[in-house]
Structure formats: structure tokens, C-alpha cells
Amino acid sequence: MKKSILLLFFLLGTTVAFSQKNYKEVKDISYYSESTNNQTDYQKKQCLLDIYYPENKENVPVIVWFHGGGLTGGKKEIPQDLKDKGYCIVGVGYRLSPKVKAATCIDDATAAVAWVFNNIDRYNGDSSEIFISGHSAGGYLALMTVMDKERLKQYNIDANSVAGLVPFSGHTITHFTIRAERGIPGEQPVVDEWAPLYYVRSDAPPTLLITGDRELEMLGRYEENAYFYRMMKVAGQKDITQYEMQGYGHNMTHPAFPLLLNFVKEKTSL
């Protein structure tokens, strides 16, 4: 009996080791070119990304993940729930307020997405199947990089070439940190050029909006996503869905990751 148990543990350990060997993680890749003018030490420290990818399979779908933290905190991450699923995962770091204006976070996010489009094939990723996602502030950055088409256009990339957009509890109105910089309280909604809602359009990539329970979410986050959903439908967008994670508050990432993975699977198997 003991030998059987030991053999079982050995086989399990071998399986785990084999699984880990089939994936590789590279860290701290700068997504701004060395030729970018006037880079500060802070920019060089923050504007980095990590990549987790399968070594033995090419042209796999890519998930770009932006961390949360209100545009004032947090750090780049590759969520454990996204690992070992056959995808290339990119965790992005970006500069934070108050060291920079919060709008600079969007510039960094856009530069990171552009880098992924231009370089992810070197890490077995498929640039035609890039999905943009993130939680809270990260969901807001995901939305802004894609919805405002002019941002990626400056890198000669069509935002509509993004395969899918999946924000977790992201602002669709102007981010509260950008409002705070103007002295506007968090309870006062604003929709301007810093709001994904400002850019609703029929030709946006397939979109999955996920929030926590409307009674447990932060500052009406469910309702602003519901309004974004409705206005996108009014604008003519047919491929958009909203999920409300009932019973979960703002930190609803763990139960939401399967929805992201199913979305990627569905869109890449069409």
C-alpha cells in the first residue's frame, strides 16, 4: 500500500514537473523602445511586462492582463487562474498616480498593447488573437486602449484587430482618480474623453463585461457597465455581453476567470 502511495506521489510530481517545463515565464521586458526620448528612471522601472507562455505550441491566443489598484497602486501580475491553460499571458506594469497624471496610465497601457501586437510571435503568441482584460483600474485601461481607436492608431494598429475585450469591474465613466485630480468627488459621474462611454461604437471588438453584484460593487460599477452595455447595443454592437457575479463584491476576479477563459475559447474556435 505504501509503495502504491509513493508511486502515486511520484507520478503526480512527474506530471506537475512536466507541466511546468512546458511553460516558460520571462520577466521585466520593457515595452517602450530604448530610443523613446526622455525616459525617466520611474518609467523604466514601471513600464515593464511579464510573459507566461507554452514552449511547445505556436500561435496560441494571447491574454493581456492589466492589474487593478485605482491607478494609484498595484503591480504587474500574471493571475494563477490563467496559467497552464494553453494561452500566452502578458502581465503589464504601468506608471501610477500621483507620480504621474492618471491619464499617463492609459498611454502606458496603449504602448504595452502595441508592443504585444508587434512582438508576441517571439513568445509563441498569435497577434491575430489578442484579448485585452484586467480588473478594476485594469479593466478601465483595457477599455480605454481599445475603445478610443486613436490611441492604437498612433502605433499603426487598428483597435478593431483586437480579438476581444473583457474588463472586470472596470470604469466605463471617467476614472475616479482622473476626477479626483480635478477636485471632482467619486460620487459625481463624468463622461468625457477619458471615459470608455464616450467612444461607444458598433464596430468595437467582441466584448464581455463582468462586474460584481450591483448591491456589493463599488460606487455603482455594475450600473455604469450596464449603461455602457445598453449604449453599445443602441450604437449597433451585436457581440457584447454583461455578467453580474451575484454574491460577489468588487474583488470578484477568482470566480470570473472561467468566464474570461470560456470567452477566449469560444472566440478562437469559431
Side-chain angles (χ1 to χ4, degrees):
M1 182 66 178
K2 288 183 179 179
K3 289 183 178 179
S4 297
I5 294 174
L6 288 172
L7 178 61
L8 176 61
F9 278 126
F10 173 77
L11 291 174
L12 286 173
T14 302
T15 301
V16 171
F18 179 76
S19 173
Q20 290 174 344
K21 285 182 180 178
N22 279 295
Y23 286 85
K24 183 175 182 179
E25 185 168 1
V26 292
K27 292 180 175 290
D28 296 334
I29 301 172
S30 175
Y31 53 80
Y32 278 110
S33 168
E34 291 183 1
S35 62
T36 302
N37 293 329
N38 302 318
Q39 284 198 64
T40 65
D41 289 341
Y42 182 59
Q43 183 177 8
K44 292 176 182 178
K45 176 184 176 182
Q46 290 291 113
C47 297
L48 304 171
L49 53 80
D50 299 339
I51 306 175
Y52 185 89
Y53 66 99
E55 289 189 283
N56 59 351
K57 189 176 180 182
E58 296 181 351
N59 298 318
V60 301
V62 180
I63 301 173
V64 178
W65 180 259
F66 292 106
H67 69 81
L71 304 181
T72 61
K75 61 182 180 179
K76 62 181 166 55
E77 60 178 348
I78 296 179
Q80 185 64 40
D81 295 82
L82 300 181
K83 291 184 175 182
D84 302 343
K85 300 298 190 295
Y87 302 134
C88 177
I89 313 300
V90 181
V92 181
Y94 48 90
R95 286 171 285 180
L96 300 168
S97 173
K99 290 189 175 181
V100 296
K101 289 291 186 182
T104 301
C105 304
I106 310 172
D107 296 334
D108 289 347
T110 306
V113 171
W115 186 96
V116 172
F117 267 97
N118 292 325
N119 296 277
I120 204 61
D121 61 316
R122 293 157 49 195
Y123 304 91
N124 293 343
D126 186 344
S127 61
S128 69
E129 293 187 338
I130 295 175
F131 295 80
I132 313 298
S133 187
H135 174 241
S136 193
Y140 169 75
L141 294 177
L143 283 161
M144 285 298 295
T145 58
V146 176
M147 293 307 300
D148 181 359
K149 294 178 69 174
E150 295 301 312
R151 292 186 173 277
L152 282 171
K153 186 177 180 180
Q154 66 182 312
Y155 293 94
N156 298 314
I157 295 170
D158 182 357
N160 288 354
S161 61
V162 168
L165 179 58
V166 190
F168 288 27
S169 293
H171 264 311
T172 68
I173 61 175
T174 298
H175 197 279
F176 64 73
T177 300
I178 294 178
R179 282 179 279 151
E181 290 175 348
R182 305 177 190 171
I184 301 171
E187 296 81 7
Q188 183 177 337
V190 173
V191 176
D192 58 15
E193 67 270 23
W194 306 110
L197 259 166
Y198 189 81
Y199 302 99
V200 294
R201 51 192 173 84
S202 63
D203 63 342
T207 301
L208 173 62
L209 305 167
I210 311 174
T211 71
D213 190 313
R214 69 189 74 186
E215 298 300 332
L216 300 174
E217 260 287 7
M218 177 186 295
L219 289 174
R221 196 63 57 88
Y222 164 81
E223 286 80 5
E224 62 182 84
N225 274 262
Y227 186 50
F228 180 85
Y229 166 83
R230 180 53 53 198
M231 296 312 295
M232 288 285 279
K233 296 285 281 188
V234 169
Q237 165 66 302
K238 295 184 176 6
D239 197 348
I240 184 168
T241 304
Q242 181 179 10
Y243 276 99
E244 177 185 12
M245 307 297 291
Q246 293 188 349
Y248 293 91
H250 186 62
N251 295 318
M252 35 53 77
T253 55
H254 179 68
F257 281 125
L259 296 176
L260 167 59
L261 292 169
N262 287 340
F263 181 82
V264 173
K265 183 178 179 180
E266 174 191 340
K267 298 305 177 186
T268 55
S269 61
L270 293 178

